[in-house]
Amino acid sequence: MKEMNKDIIFKYIKQEAKRQKEGIELIASENYVSSNVLKAMGSILTNKYSEGYPDKRYYGGNEYIDEIEKECISRAKEVFNAEHVNVQPYSGSPANLAVHLAFLNPGDRTMGMELSAGGHLTHGFKVSISGKYFDSVSYGVNKEGYIDYDEVRKIALDHKPKLIWSGFSAYSRIIDWKEFKKIADEVGAILVADIAHVAGLVATNQYPSPIGISDIVTTTTHKTLRGPRGAMIMCKQEYGEAIDKAVFPGLQGGPHNHITAGIAVALKEAQSKEFEEYSKQIVKNAKVLADTLIEKGFNIVSGGTDNHLFLVDTVKSVNMTGREASDILGSVNITLNKNSIPHDERKPWDPSGVRIGTPAITTRGMKEEDMVKIAEYIDRALRDTSEKKLKLIREEVKEFTRKFLIPGIDNL
Ligand SMILES: Cc1ncc(COP(=O)(O)O)c(C=O)c1O
């Protein structure tokens, strides 16, 4: 054991812990899991093979694994009010591929939101398998940055997709799930809502739920839901068998049981009063951060946010590309990602904006007054990029983050 701890990998883990501790994490898809989630993920459950589903496994010795997976499913049903849940997808991308596999043949048509409008690669983008093996069409957002449902309807009627994707990686407004369902029904498509980003907000009623409206709901478990990296597919009972078969044996092998246990722990946490307060605070923080940046002259896509994230047009705000802005902020320990903005004329690897999200910093206990401080750091760093000023801000950020704990890091 002692020898193992000399493994350089553990040195890198410590360095990464320090990086997480001394930085302000604004990547909208990231979070810090609890010590109990970490404990479940780091457990001996990883030793076990369990191909199949509870009580129907291809391997022996699964009596306890079965109980864990059943409990995880039951908690997911309770939290989201879902009829059928599959907790085995390895992550969000395979979950979305499993949905394609369940309902489409290669070459069939799928329709999703454009990447530059805030959609995800797996909703039919051309470089993804979802856009290579299936015939994909996409919808965008209007000039103001909102989904235009008449436009979505028109594209759906013109192209008659078999599957319609709603949901996003970078859209700061409320989605009208019912309107999407109406459109899907009008063209005879199955509607999928991908709530990867807002799952924690949906679980606590801080964002409208598509469950009971959308035929299929996919989600990652590691963003606002604050669980381990994984995913779930929730659906109406009638689609349950098709989904289960698509996940296994269609796409995957043995489930990651340690992750299933971690998801179960996170789902229990998601039912607590503390988690509800946490979710409310995520949205409050996002609004204050966006509003403070607007006061400082920043251009925010759609003018604000209704959820945990928003996009800043850095070209319009500070005459910098998203890559330049994220590099400068990275140098002062503020981490975020460059992001295309709607109707972006620049390419995705050097787009016109950045995406900012508050789930991780809210887990650390940051509140409205801290958002004002963070907006100040961003404003100062992007408006005066002299090495002397950036060094000063980096030291201030390190000092600022000191009092905000991260589970599993402060006792590493
Ligand atoms: C909306 C949405 N769906 C799916 C995914 C894919 O999840 P993963 O990275 O776990 O494959 C993401 C991740 O960013 C996402 O934002």
Side-chain angles (χ1 to χ4, degrees), residues 144-264:
E144 290 72 40
Y146 284 79
I147 292 171
D148 174 347
Y149 294 92
D150 292 336
E151 183 70 18
V152 177
R153 174 174 284 104
K154 186 176 175 313
I155 296 167
L157 284 167
D158 284 350
H159 295 278
K160 298 271 185 326
K162 275 195 171 174
L163 214 56
I164 296 181
W165 290 83
S166 51
F168 55 83
S169 296
Y171 184 69
S172 63
R173 297 302 183 182
I174 302 288
I175 290 207
D176 188 340
W177 307 114
K178 282 193 181 137
E179 199 54 36
F180 264 110
K181 178 62 176 156
K182 262 198 229 160
I183 296 168
D185 286 348
E186 282 170 40
V187 299
I190 289 177
L191 179 66
V192 196
D194 180 347
I195 59 166
H197 262 265
V198 286
L201 306 182
V202 168
T204 50
N205 297 317
Q206 304 308 307
Y207 194 89
S209 175
I211 286 139
I213 301 169
S214 186
D215 300 299
I216 315 287
V217 177
T218 64
T219 184
T220 56
T221 46
H222 47 273
K223 300 186 173 95
T224 49
L225 192 56
R226 214 163 65 179
R229 310 195 82 78
M232 304 192 294
I233 304 176
M234 301 176 268
C235 60
K236 296 182 178 165
Q237 201 61 50
E238 63 192 282
Y239 299 116
E241 199 182 329
I243 288 294
D244 287 353
K245 277 193 177 149
V247 174
F248 176 85
L251 193 62
Q252 298 189 168
H256 294 176
N257 299 310
H258 55 307
I259 299 298
T260 307
I263 294 172

Side-chain angles (χ1 to χ4, degrees), residues 7-33:
D7 188 334
I8 193 162
I9 291 297
F10 292 97
K11 189 176 131 210
Y12 291 139
I13 292 175
K14 277 209 163 157
Q15 286 173 340
E16 168 61 11
K18 185 169 181 307
R19 188 197 67 80
Q20 291 188 14
K21 173 88 177 125
E22 294 182 348
I24 296 174
E25 183 55 73
L26 297 179
I27 294 179
S29 49
E30 292 189 15
N31 213 330
Y32 307 104
V33 299

Side-chain angles (χ1 to χ4, degrees), residues 19 22-24 320 322-336 377-378 380-398:
R19 188 197 67 80
E22 294 182 348
I24 296 174
M320 274 180 203
R323 187 167 65 180
E324 287 165 341
S326 70
D327 284 351
I328 287 166
L329 292 171
S331 78
V332 298
N333 288 13
I334 296 177
T335 319
L336 42 65
Y377 293 138
I378 293 173
R380 280 167 55 205
L382 295 183
R383 293 198 195 278
D384 182 349
T385 58
S386 63
E387 192 39 52
K388 193 165 156 239
K389 284 281 167 54
L390 294 179
K391 191 163 177 262
L392 183 71
I393 299 170
R394 184 166 58 246
E395 290 313 311
E396 285 179 42
V397 167
K398 274 193 203 169

